[in-house]
Amino acid sequence: MHELSITRHIAAPPALVWDVLVNRQAEWFCPHPWRAVPGHQDRRAGGVCEMVMHGPNGEVMPNNGVYLAWDEGRRFAVTDAVTGDLQPAGPFMIGIWEIAAEGNGTRYTATARHWTEDACAQHAAMGFTAGWGAAADQLAALCEG
């Protein structure tokens, strides 16, 4: 499997982490100074998931796909291999965001699964660990603050 993953323990209850995870994406999803602007999100397996990421120098990166899974309070998964009305797109990855109770807090795990070894290596070279790690830290700060 061609997978990259990060995990954090968040000192907050799972219900709070889930709420921030899914309802406050604009505040944590992109490492600052980038920002995420969530668009249409039909939160169910097969539903549309649209977001646009904006960079500090005017970069605009649409991030559209469909939900593969929506397990309320536990995890969601999205792919960019399909967009809109089940239209094929150039696949890069499946993103999976999961939470689970752990001790007095919550274990957060974000995973990117890729179709090929090259795509996985490209994602790693793009700064996966630093970028997704910064987003996880931003999520934790919102939940723990």
Side-chain angles (χ1 to χ4, degrees), residues 122-135:
Q122 176 188 359
H123 202 181
M126 289 169 54
F128 171 86
T129 301
W132 285 44

Side-chain angles (χ1 to χ4, degrees), residues 12-107:
L16 173 63
V17 175
W18 180 257
D19 182 58
V20 173
L21 182 71
V22 301
N23 294 318
R24 296 174 62 185
Q25 290 176 334
E27 298 175 66
W28 71 266
F29 193 80
C30 288
H32 297 295
W34 283 75
R35 64 186 176 85
V37 178
H40 181 68
Q41 297 193 359
D42 184 4
R43 295 175 171 173
R44 62 178 179 83
V48 171
C49 177
E50 297 176 345
M51 184 177 301
V52 178
M53 294 180 278
H54 297 269
N57 300 311
E59 303 93 336
V60 177
M61 297 183 65
N63 189 10
N64 299 324
V66 298
Y67 288 104
L68 297 174
W70 185 275
D71 303 318
E72 186 68 30
R74 189 173 77 79
R75 77 171 181 168
F76 64 91
V78 177
T79 186
D80 59 354
V82 179
T83 62
D85 187 25
L86 301 177
Q87 297 300 314
F92 181 63
M93 66 172 224
I94 295 171
I96 304 165
W97 291 265
E98 301 175 279
I99 65 166
E102 182 179 284
N104 292 328
T106 304
R107 174 61 53 188

